[in-house]
Amino acid sequence: MSSENPSQSPEQQLRKPRVAVVFGGRSSEHAISVVTAGAVLRSIDRTKYDVLPIGITTDGRWALTADDPERMAIADRTLPSVEQIAESTEGGIVLSVDPGNREVVYSEPGSVPKALGEVDVVFPVLHGPYGEDGTLQGLLELSGVPYVGAGVLASAVGQDKEYMKRVFTSFGLPVGPYVVIRPREWEQGPDGGTAGKGAAAREKIVDFAAEHGWPLFVKPARAGSSIGITKVDDISGLDEAIAEAQRHDPKILVEALLRGREIECGVLEFEDGPRASVPAEIPPVTAHDFYDFEAKYIDSAAGLVPAPLTEEQTAEVRRLAVDAFEAASCEGLVRADFFLTEDGEFVINEINTMPGFTPISMYPRMWQESGVGYAELVDRLIEAALRRPTGLR
């Protein structure tokens, strides 16, 4: 593969492409993004690329950070942050929105701004709102800077579980039962005023439970990493679960329990189009009610790679994963999560357009088993981004 891009200037083609790894961010998945960035920085081929790590703090400041992956790992159950590795508590990075200028500038109060050179491609490893949801992708489109992963539309669809399910349904992909509670519904009473607020929304959920049964899963509509999700066994736990979900997103999603096996599959963009990895299975987590944040990242629950499926089941889930990738107009990569129900049918739960890249994450593990190692995976994603233009495509 060649990193030469015909749209680059002669000066750009004479030097190594510069990759800006952007991580952290304002979402509740800040720490996992930092961990992911550490793994990516550790694996980028430095003989092939120049690397510029840019962290976004929890309050939204773009900071120049240390290129030190060891400080970006979870240590003694303590999560890392951009603030811990930022070069300055006040300095900030500015990326031009002029498509003709890819120069990155660093400035501190009272100092002359310092040019850090041009960026050829951005590798955004942000998870959740303000990064994975199309907002950063829109900024990069305005700036004319190529970037790894899904574009604006696919990123937004992949972040909002309600519209993700609506898109999948329109393409004939199987989804499980769900109901959405919007912020205004929770604030309104039965008569549309504020008296008895939440009563109508609560009744909506109870009616849903009457049809599909307890337990239910209450989750933020636009969050990931299993943050803010509560398994609710009966109506007594409903208000607390809603409050927990709304700490992360004012819009919530309530899903019925699907009894079966949890199956995941990775999709990666190759030169000839998207391909699916071998699937993995998330076995029941005995120490947790479900595969929640602590099970994923703190207690390191192990998935089975490859999943113990029949040849027919493996072929079917791989087909569905690519179909989901195409339905949402994804680019670069996706992890598609499914349930294999007790009656033998696959139901898609969700996709992640920027899945976790931590050392224990399922996406790189599935591709490792499929013959694409971590370093090659990172390189393929960068190469795909360099081949792809910004703008309408």
Side-chain angles (χ1 to χ4, degrees):
M1 292 182 294
S2 171
S3 61
E4 183 173 304
N5 186 331
S7 66
Q8 292 179 327
S9 68
E11 292 78 8
Q12 289 173 312
Q13 293 183 14
L14 286 172
R15 60 174 173 78
K16 291 186 291 185
R18 171 170 282 188
V19 181
V21 178
V22 180
F23 60 96
R26 295 162 54 191
S27 83
S28 53
E29 298 176 77
H30 177 99
I32 297 308
S33 175
V34 177
V35 177
T36 298
V40 170
L41 287 169
R42 191 180 293 112
S43 301
I44 290 180
D45 185 351
R46 304 304 178 102
T47 66
K48 188 174 181 180
Y49 304 109
D50 286 328
V51 179
L52 177 67
I54 299 175
I56 301 178
T57 63
T58 52
D59 62 1
R61 179 173 62 91
W62 289 46
L64 185 63
T65 68
D67 187 359
D68 188 353
E70 301 308 316
R71 293 170 60 193
M72 300 181 184
I74 298 173
D76 299 324
R77 302 177 71 89
T78 300
L79 299 173
S81 70
V82 168
E83 284 81 354
Q84 295 169 356
I85 56 174
E87 296 286 354
S88 165
T89 58
E90 296 183 319
I93 293 283
V94 176
L95 179 65
S96 172
V97 293
D98 177 0
N101 178 15
R102 295 181 180 178
E103 189 85 17
V104 173
V105 176
Y106 175 74
S107 63
E108 291 192 41
S111 300
V112 176
K114 177 183 177 182
L116 300 180
E118 291 191 346
V119 166
D120 298 293
V121 62
V122 169
F123 199 135
V125 291
L126 294 144
H127 302 305
Y130 313 110
E132 191 183 351
D133 59 351
T135 50
L136 176 65
Q137 290 74 15
L139 172 64
L140 296 173
E141 292 286 354
L142 288 174
S143 303
V145 179
Y147 53 92
V148 168
V152 176
L153 173 65
S155 296
V157 168
Q159 188 63 43
D160 191 312
K161 294 177 176 62
E162 175 193 0
Y163 287 97
M164 181 196 308
K165 292 176 186 294
R166 290 181 182 274
V167 167
F168 290 157
T169 300
S170 71
F171 276 83
L173 294 168
V175 302
Y178 70 97
V179 65
V180 177
I181 303 296
R182 303 179 188 281
R184 64 177 178 273
E185 292 181 88
W186 192 247
E187 294 300 320
Q188 290 177 348
D191 59 355
T194 58
K197 71 176 186 177
R202 194 179 292 104
E203 183 179 355
K204 182 177 176 180
I205 298 172
V206 171
D207 288 345
F208 179 78
E211 181 179 357
H212 299 287
W214 300 91
L216 302 176
F217 288 90
V218 178
K219 58 179 65 175
R222 294 162 291 193
S225 296
S226 297
I227 290 173
I229 300 178
T230 305
K231 181 183 178 185
V232 182
D233 294 314
D234 54 52
I235 193 171
S236 65
L238 190 57
D239 285 12
E240 184 178 349
I242 289 172
E244 170 60 19
Q246 288 182 328
R247 288 200 312 113
H248 305 279
D249 187 347
K251 182 169 79 167
I252 66 170
L253 195 77
V254 180
E255 294 178 334
L257 171 68
L258 290 176
R259 301 187 185 278
R261 299 160 61 185
E262 292 189 50
I263 306 295
E264 298 184 347
C265 191
V267 180
L268 178 64
E269 181 183 347
F270 285 75
E271 290 84 351
D272 60 351
R275 302 181 198 171
S277 70
V278 300
E281 179 171 4
I282 307 301
V285 186
T286 56
H288 301 263
D289 263 355
F290 59 96
Y291 193 42
D292 61 7
F293 178 87
E294 288 221 349
K296 284 183 178 180
Y297 299 109
I298 304 299
D299 294 336
S300 304
L304 303 176
V305 187
L309 300 170
T310 66
E311 288 186 14
E312 293 77 11
Q313 289 172 330
T314 296
E316 175 68 1
V317 75
R318 293 177 75 178
R319 179 188 69 79
L320 288 170
V322 172
D323 285 351
F325 182 97
E326 299 281 34
S329 297
C330 294
E331 295 167 298
L333 73 164
V334 148
R335 194 193 72 229
D337 300 344
F338 298 86
F339 290 104
L340 177 55
T341 63
E342 293 176 338
D343 61 4
E345 298 297 321
F346 282 104
V347 174
I348 187 164
N349 183 36
E350 64 180 36
I351 58 171
N352 282 267
T353 56
M354 185 49 69
F357 260 80
T358 67
I360 62 170
S361 294
M362 297 306 298
Y363 185 85
R365 287 184 59 196
M366 288 187 286
W367 278 108
Q368 178 74 46
E369 188 67 23
S370 303
V372 181
Y374 195 102
E376 182 185 350
L377 183 61
V378 169
D379 192 68
R380 281 189 172 277
L381 289 169
I382 294 172
E383 289 282 4
L386 285 168
R387 288 194 304 269
R388 189 170 57 237
T390 56
L392 298 177
R393 50 188 183 275

